[in-house]
């Protein structure tokens, strides 16, 4: 560069000079806050591990995604409420029953809120739960296998949004309705909503795998119930939910449900409800809903349940109270101590914080300002701990760092606001790109936050990434919150819409990961336990192929005697017992995807051959140097042909 | 307050300057906060020649086995394991994916057989005899997740098979 020709180059020169000076100062120990520092903070060198597992909901994808933090690397999509071509979830005969509902087979739903199991209010790494919104359900994912093992449908619910939120020892998942509807469902005019439609709050027994059950449902006024959090420590035994549309509007809610200055937080004393139920309160009501779970045979079993216990506020005194709360609140978050109940009033100009101890006091003093459908409404001033003034626009959701600070997402002003519990003063704010919905601090909704990072879960990315046509990726952003100032470290794309997330220190989960399914424990009714057992059996028009897979062949790999009109089940058992050696299975003419079979398990593909011929099958998951040799043929003869059934390998 | 990224809106020179400042500002070391991979497969690649003992008895957890009398309970258990986990690739009397095994206890020491059962991956990587077998049979023997007691049972099953004798190979 010969000479400084313009302002621009002059500016560059100064910048270089300044940069060099700073760089020099860094070497002598002064900190810097640029992007290289951020890059360093999120860079996980090849072969090293992330510090946290993060579980993000896929929103309209219906699935859960697993990321590493701080790197933002995607590890896995865990299929839950939607079919998943990557591993055959909802396609294989074993997993189809998992997507059964009282409405039949539902291949795609909308999943919002992952929730880790807790012991004494601390996330314990056993299970992850998540809701299906449209066809109301909750699912349990086992965190040793990262697999959905159980799904329970919820009757008398519509829009299972305030769900699932867990009590501090995983006694219950709390699941509430977004949409109030006629309960039970019946044909009636929509215009008669007010006073006739109702909501339900379900308490679901969650701490016994395979036995999730609705313990009871509380019938509540016809509002929209939005989000929830259970109490902890002193407030254990309670659950808190936000509501909006206390106007009970049934049309144009954006106007009609925004009339009142305050809606309600519902405080439910579930310990009290338990007592009432134990004494026989409430009534058993007919309802059809499904409970699906993977059995010890690793196959899905779906059972129809036919009744549920319903409790009304009048059946159980002092079970439920309303706390007036400004205005159309969304998030509801209890701080790690259990004392403060924070509501994110998305149309409010303050963040109201209720006090649990003041609430108890107000209940003792009967400091009520009214009553709705038998539910006492406490006086706002009597329960209020404080208000965060001028936090920003559209406060949605709050989490805690365990050091006395709260972090609230601001949807409209697109930022995270950090404020102090007790003083209610805003101490820092940082922009989010763009339109942050929920945010997540590892453990930040529990008694023990690991308050090092906050993840912003954003609704809109606009110009943040290379564009991909009209449909853009959704995204999350990682911020360092270990210092006084929040610091943006990383943007990373997400699959579907990340409504909410959970995270847990990697060490807790890493050590418990299953590597294989032990072959000797395989109790699948159509398992083939050893190549010597491989065979083909005809049962009328049904043909069962008991097939084994191992590097690098199938047995049998030549099959004859199948006829057009048969229904063939390929029951493929993977005989491998080593980590990371799945085999795949695909057969030409299959109308239903493929299989991916983990070591030691059996998976089944249903195949209805339509045309005579000789069709290949092969392994779809590269498994060894001879993977391309892992194949076979099945011969299909015309209907009524007399080709005998035969099968072989290596002959 | 929707923030707009100013970085994209200015001239190239300014961008370069900013980039330099950013890079320079970031030049300070950040603490490392990640778990390091524990153990992993670091041990596998240890180069160097094998000891005579390793040549004879293989590489793995088994350094010494007293075969003793053939134990019928072990033979029964070994036969079950063989059917479940080995028979996909091995026959007793004929070559299949891997070599026939009726006479294997004559060819190899008990320690070698058990180490092959328990540590096939490292054996295939490092032991000259197993490397030669791989060149002949192509498919490396997979780990089948046997315990030492399982491997001991398979050993007795193979000793019994040899004692009983059979067809060819
Ligand atoms: Cu394969």
């Amino acid at each position: 560069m010969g000479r400084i020709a313009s302002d621009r180059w002059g500016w560059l020169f100064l910048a270089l000079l300044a940069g060099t000076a700073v760089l020099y100062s860094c070497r002598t120990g002064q900190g810097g806050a640029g992007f290289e520092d951020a890059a360093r903070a999120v860079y996980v060198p090849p072969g090293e591990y992330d510090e946290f597992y993060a579980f993000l909901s896929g929103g309209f994808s219906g699935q859960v995604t697993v990321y590493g933090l701080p790197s933002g690397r995607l590890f896995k999509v865990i299929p839950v409420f939607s079919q998943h071509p990557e591993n055959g979830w909802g396609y294989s005969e074993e997993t189809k029953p998992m997507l059964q509902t009282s409405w039949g087979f539902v291949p795609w739903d909308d999943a919002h809120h992952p929730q880790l199991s807790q012991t004494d209010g601390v996330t314990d790494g056993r299970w992850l739960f998540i809701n299906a919104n449209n066809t109301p359900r909750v699912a349990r994912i086992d965190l040793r296998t990262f697999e959905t093992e159980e799904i329970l449908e919820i009757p008398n619910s519509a829009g299972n949004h305030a769900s699932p939120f867990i009590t501090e020892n995983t006694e219950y998942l709390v699941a509430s309705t977004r949409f109030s509807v006629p309960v039970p469902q019946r044909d009636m005019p929509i215009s008669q909503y007010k006073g006739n439609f109702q909501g339900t709050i379900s308490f679901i027994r969650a701490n016994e795998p395979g036995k999730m059950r609705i313990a009871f449902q509380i019938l509540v006024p016809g509002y929209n119930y939005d989000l929830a959090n259970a109490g902890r420590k002193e407030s254990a035994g309670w659950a808190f939910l936000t509501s909006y549309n206390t106007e009970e509007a049934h049309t144009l809610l954006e106007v009609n449900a925004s009339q009142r200055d305050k809606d309600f937080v519902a405080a439910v004393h579930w310990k009290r409800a338990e007592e009432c139920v134990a004494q026989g309160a409430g009534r058993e009501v007919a309802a059809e809903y499904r409970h699906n779970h993977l059995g010890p045979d690793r196959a899905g079993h779906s059972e129809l349940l036919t009744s549920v216990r319903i409790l009304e506020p009048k059946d159980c005194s002092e079970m439920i109270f309303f706390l007036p709360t400004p205005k159309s609140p969304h998030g509801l978050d209890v701080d790690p101590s259990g004392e403060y109940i924070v509501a994110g009033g998305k149309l409010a100009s303050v963040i109201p914080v209720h006090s649990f101890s003041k609430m108890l006091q107000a209940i003792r003093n009967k400091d009520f300002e009214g009553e709705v459908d038998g539910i006492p409404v406490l006086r706002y001033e009597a329960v209020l701990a404080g208000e965060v003034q001028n936090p920003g626009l559209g406060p949605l959701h709050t989490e805690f760092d365990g050091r006395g600070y709260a972090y609230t997402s601001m949807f409209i002003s697109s930022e995270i606001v950090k404020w102090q519990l007790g003083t209610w003063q805003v101490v820092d704010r940082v922009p989010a790109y763009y339109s942050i919905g929920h945010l997540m601090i590892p453990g930040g909704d529990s008694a023990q936050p690991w308050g090092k990072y906050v993840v912003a879960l954003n609704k809109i990315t606009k110009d943040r990434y290379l564009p991909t046509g009209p449909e853009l990726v959704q995204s999350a952003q990682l911020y360092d919150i270990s210092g006084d100032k929040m610091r943006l470290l990383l943007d990373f794309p997400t699959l579907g819409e990340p409504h909410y997330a959970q995270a847990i220190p990697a060490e807790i989960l890493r050590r418990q990961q299953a590597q294989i399914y032990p072959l000797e424990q395989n109790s699948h009714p159509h398992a083939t336990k050893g190549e010597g057992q491989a065979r083909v059996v005809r049962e009328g028009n049904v043909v069962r192929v008991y097939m084994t897979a191992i590097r690098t062949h199938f047995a049998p790999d030549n099959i004859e005697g199948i006829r057009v009109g048969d229904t063939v089940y390929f029951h493929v058992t993977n005989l491998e017992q080593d980590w990371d050696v799945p085999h795949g299975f695909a057969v030409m003419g299959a109308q239903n995807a493929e299989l991916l079979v983990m070591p030691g398990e059996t998976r089944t593909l249903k195949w209805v051959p339509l045309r005579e011929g000789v069709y290949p099958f092969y392994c779809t998951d590269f498994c060894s140097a001879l993977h391309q040799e892992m194949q076979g043929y099945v011969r299909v003869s015309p209907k009524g042909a007399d080709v005998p059934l035969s099968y072989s390998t290596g002959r | 307050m929707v923030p707009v990224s100013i970085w994209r809106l200015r001239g190239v020179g300014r961008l370069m300057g900013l980039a330099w400042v950013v890079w320079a500002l970031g030049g300070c070391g950040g603490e490392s906060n990640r778990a390091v991979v524990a153990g992993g497969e670091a041990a596998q690649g240890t180069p160097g020649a094998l000891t005579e003992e390793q040549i004879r008895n293989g590489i793995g957890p088994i350094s010494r086995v007293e075969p003793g009398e053939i134990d019928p309970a072990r033979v029964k258990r070994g036969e079950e394991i063989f059917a479940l986990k080995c028979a996909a690739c091995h026959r007793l009397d004929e070559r299949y994916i891997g070599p026939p095994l009726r006479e294997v206890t004559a060819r190899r020491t008990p320690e070698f057989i058990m180490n092959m059962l328990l540590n096939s991956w490292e054996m295939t990587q490092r032991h000259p005899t197993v490397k030669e077998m791989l060149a002949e049979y192509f498919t490396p023997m997979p780990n089948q997740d046997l315990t030492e007691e399982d491997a001991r049972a398979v050993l007795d099953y193979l000793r019994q098979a040899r004692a009983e004798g059979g067809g060819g190979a």
Side-chain angles (χ1 to χ4, degrees):
Chain A
M1 196 180 328
R3 76 197 167 92
I4 296 164
S6 70
D7 270 3
R8 179 189 289 179
W9 292 111
W11 198 93
L12 175 60
F13 178 72
L14 285 174
L16 287 166
L17 205 64
T20 306
V22 171
L23 190 61
Y24 181 77
S25 74
C26 280
R27 293 215 174 95
T28 57
Q30 313 274 316
F35 281 121
E36 184 180 314
D37 206 27
R40 213 183 276 276
V42 302
Y43 182 65
V44 177
E48 291 192 17
Y49 291 146
D50 276 284
E51 204 180 346
F52 292 93
Y53 283 96
F55 299 91
L56 277 61
S57 70
F60 44 71
S61 86
Q63 319 292 47
V64 167
T65 50
V66 186
Y67 289 83
L69 298 180
S71 72
R73 296 180 295 182
L74 174 67
F75 299 146
K76 187 177 175 69
V77 177
I78 304 173
V80 187
F81 296 114
S82 300
Q83 287 180 305
H84 192 55
E86 189 180 346
N87 67 3
W89 179 257
Y91 292 103
S92 66
E93 295 307 300
E94 286 76 12
T95 54
K96 281 178 184 174
M98 298 300 288
L99 299 181
Q100 279 298 334
T101 74
S102 64
W103 306 91
F105 180 82
V106 175
W108 181 10
D109 207 326
D110 176 26
H112 283 226
H113 307 120
Q115 177 83 71
L116 289 164
S117 57
Q118 297 182 6
T119 302
D120 296 330
V122 181
T123 52
D124 58 24
R126 287 180 294 167
W127 308 304
L128 182 79
F129 300 93
I130 189 165
N131 64 326
N133 212 32
N134 186 50
T135 303
R137 285 170 291 171
V138 290
R140 182 178 59 81
I141 295 162
D142 192 299
L143 292 179
R144 292 167 306 177
T145 58
F146 280 51
E147 186 172 51
T148 305
E149 288 199 335
E150 190 168 9
I151 295 179
L152 177 68
E153 193 175 359
I154 306 173
N156 302 318
S157 173
N160 174 42
H161 188 272
S163 166
F165 295 91
I166 205 153
T167 58
E168 71 170 4
N169 281 300
T170 311
E171 298 96 337
Y172 294 105
L173 297 171
V174 186
S176 307
T177 51
R178 169 176 162 192
F179 306 107
S180 283
V181 289
V183 179
Q185 275 290 5
R186 59 192 179 275
D187 173 28
M188 64 172 286
I190 297 168
S191 60
Q192 290 172 21
Y193 179 120
K194 207 164 187 163
N196 286 311
F197 285 27
Q198 287 178 295
T200 56
I201 305 171
S202 300
F203 285 81
I204 298 166
R205 275 263 164 220
N207 51 12
E208 260 194 278
K211 295 183 178 166
M212 281 166 66
R213 282 289 183 278
I214 299 170
F216 51 90
Q217 293 187 311
I218 300 174
L219 213 49
V220 285
Y223 310 153
N224 290 41
Y225 297 87
D226 204 3
L227 286 168
N229 203 199
R232 57 188 61 96
K233 296 179 183 168
E234 56 184 300
S235 56
W238 290 76
F240 306 93
L241 306 85
T242 48
S243 72
Y244 63 103
N245 191 23
T246 52
E247 296 85 351
E248 299 188 63
H250 57 79
T251 182
L252 201 62
L253 265 64
E254 73 176 314
V255 175
N256 294 333
S258 307
Q259 300 295 310
R260 300 180 57 175
D261 287 339
K262 294 192 177 65
D263 295 279
F264 294 131
V265 163
V268 181
H269 193 191
W270 59 261
K271 282 275 189 199
R272 173 72 187 134
E274 266 185 346
E275 286 171 16
C276 293
V277 169
Q279 291 160 14
R283 55 189 165 32
E284 205 66 21
V285 172
E288 293 206 334
Y289 56 107
R290 285 200 166 265
H291 173 249
N292 310 329
H293 76 284
L294 284 186
D297 55 1
R298 297 200 28 73
H301 301 269
S302 181
E303 60 179 325
L304 187 69
L305 303 177
T306 54
S307 77
V308 66
R309 173 143 300 244
I310 289 203
L311 209 53
E312 293 185 53
K314 68 175 170 56
D315 300 331
C316 185
S317 63
E318 307 218 321
M319 173 179 70
I320 179 167
F321 301 88
F322 280 148
L323 286 58
T325 302
K327 176 178 185 178
S328 297
H330 186 64
L332 188 294
D333 305 286
V334 179
D335 85 306
S337 77
E339 165 64 9
Y340 295 121
I341 303 155
V342 180
K346 60 183 186 275
L347 305 180
S349 55
V350 299
I351 300 171
V353 183
H354 297 305
S355 153
F356 177 71
S357 51
K358 287 180 77 173
M359 184 194 87
L360 289 185
Q361 186 73 29
I363 291 170
R364 270 196 298 274
N365 299 341
K366 300 210 180 313
D367 201 347
F368 305 147
E369 62 172 45
E371 193 184 286
V372 182
D373 293 357
I375 301 171
V377 180
L378 298 165
R379 207 165 47 80
Y380 180 63
E381 290 74 15
V383 294
L384 190 71
E387 291 175 337
V388 181
Q389 299 292 329
N390 304 314
L393 300 179
L396 273 197
H397 173 234
T398 301
E399 295 223 334
F400 307 90
D401 66 5
R403 297 184 296 269
Y405 293 97
Y407 300 74
T408 301
S409 56
M410 298 288 162
F411 178 76
I412 297 171
S413 54
S414 194
E415 60 186 330
I416 298 174
V417 170
K418 176 181 178 181
W419 51 275
Q420 190 169 27
L421 288 160
T423 69
W424 324 119
Q425 296 299 308
V426 171
V427 297
D428 191 23
R429 56 180 72 234
V430 63
Y433 305 90
Y434 304 96
S435 299
I436 179 174
H438 284 242
L439 48 70
M440 181 275 289
I441 293 170
D445 63 337
S446 74
Q448 187 187 310
W450 286 272
K452 185 168 181 183
Y453 304 111
V454 64
V455 178
L457 303 159
N458 299 330
K459 302 299 185 191
I460 293 171
T461 52
K462 275 188 220 162
D463 56 3
R464 296 295 282 184
Y465 298 98
L466 286 173
T468 53
E471 185 187 2
L472 298 176
V473 73
Q474 313 261 340
S475 93
Q477 292 185 286
L478 182 76
Y479 299 80
D480 178 355
I481 56 167
S482 59
D484 289 341
K485 290 288 197 186
M486 294 178 279
R487 196 162 61 104
L488 174 60
L489 300 178
L490 180 72
D491 281 26
F492 62 96
T494 63
L495 298 183
E497 181 180 339
H499 284 268
Y500 186 41
Q502 297 269 276
I504 186 167
E507 282 308 292
I508 296 175
L509 296 192
R510 187 167 74 83
R511 295 178 195 289
Q512 70 183 31
Q513 291 312 296
Q515 300 189 338
I516 59 166
Y517 297 103
L519 207 45
E520 286 174 272
Q521 291 166 25
N522 182 330
S523 59
H524 191 291
H526 302 296
T528 307
K529 299 183 78 167
E531 191 170 309
Q533 312 281 311
R535 64 201 185 276
V536 182
V537 177
R538 176 177 284 283
E539 303 163 358
N541 284 338
V542 170
V543 177
R544 296 190 184 277
V545 180
Y546 293 85
M547 181 178 276
T548 61
I550 195 164
R551 282 164 287 178
T552 321
H553 63 282
F554 292 108
D557 68 1
N558 280 200
I559 300 168
E560 301 196 355
I562 307 292
R563 300 188 287 255
V564 172
D566 286 342
T567 295
V568 181
Y569 291 99
F570 290 96
H571 303 292
V572 183
T573 300
N574 181 349
L575 293 179
E576 306 279 355
Q577 291 289 274
D578 205 355
W579 201 14
D580 201 14
V581 195
H583 289 288
F585 178 82
V587 56
M588 189 178 172
Q591 293 126 321
N592 182 32
E594 308 152 21
L595 296 175
L596 190 68
V597 193
M598 294 303 127
E601 79 173 357
T602 303
R603 284 285 173 265
T604 301
L605 185 75
K606 180 180 172 182
W607 186 63
V608 182
L610 297 178
R611 300 195 288 264
E612 58 193 76
V614 179
Y615 301 104
F617 55 83
Y618 67 102
C619 174
T620 53
D621 185 325
F622 196 101
C623 53
S624 75
L626 298 170
H627 165 74
Q628 282 300 85
E629 282 72 18
M630 192 164 176
Q631 65 170 55
Y633 286 102
V634 52
R635 173 180 169 189
V636 177
S637 304
K639 214 170 211 151
D642 57 3
V643 178
L645 194 67
S646 67
Y647 54 90
S648 61
T649 314
R651 308 240 178 275
Chain B
M1 186 195 122
V2 176
V4 175
S5 176
I6 59 155
W7 306 95
R8 295 169 192 197
L9 306 178
R10 308 298 171 85
V12 171
R14 181 163 293 183
L15 196 62
M16 285 169 60
L18 282 170
W20 167 246
V21 173
V22 165
W23 182 83
L25 284 167
C28 307
E31 85 279 31
S32 173
N33 49 19
R34 263 92 42 186
V36 176
V37 182
E41 301 192 0
Q44 63 163 275
T46 323
L50 301 183
T51 63
E52 255 177 63
E53 163 104 12
Q54 284 173 318
I55 296 288
R56 191 171 59 251
N57 287 340
I59 312 158
I62 307 300
S63 53
R64 191 158 172 77
V65 179
E66 283 302 338
E69 291 287 300
I70 295 176
D71 174 355
R74 279 192 174 132
V75 171
K76 185 165 178 298
R77 170 85 183 123
E79 188 171 9
E80 287 166 14
I81 295 168
F82 190 87
L84 185 66
K85 297 186 168 182
C86 311
C89 296
H90 294 283
R91 307 281 191 253
L92 289 177
D93 297 314
E94 59 192 295
R95 175 181 173 144
Y96 186 37
I97 309 301
L101 295 180
R102 191 177 296 278
E103 300 295 324
V104 69
T105 51
R107 296 195 294 271
R108 315 277 182 233
T109 67
E111 292 83 359
F112 186 105
I113 291 169
M114 286 183 65
N115 280 327
M116 191 64 197
L117 287 166
L118 295 168
N119 192 33
S120 61
W121 199 86
E122 192 180 3
M123 288 280 279
T124 307
Q125 296 296 312
R126 295 184 60 204
H127 197 288
T129 307
V130 185
K131 284 199 230 178
E132 277 168 30
M133 284 200 295
L134 181 62
E136 186 182 346
Y137 291 94
F138 312 119
T139 298
M141 182 161 133
N143 166 25
Q144 284 293 68
D145 194 41
L146 302 191
T147 63
E148 284 190 19
E149 191 43 48
D150 288 346
R152 185 72 178 77
V154 172
L155 175 69
D156 270 22
Y157 168 66
L158 293 171
R159 291 169 71 208
Q160 176 70 22
R162 179 165 177 246
E164 285 173 3

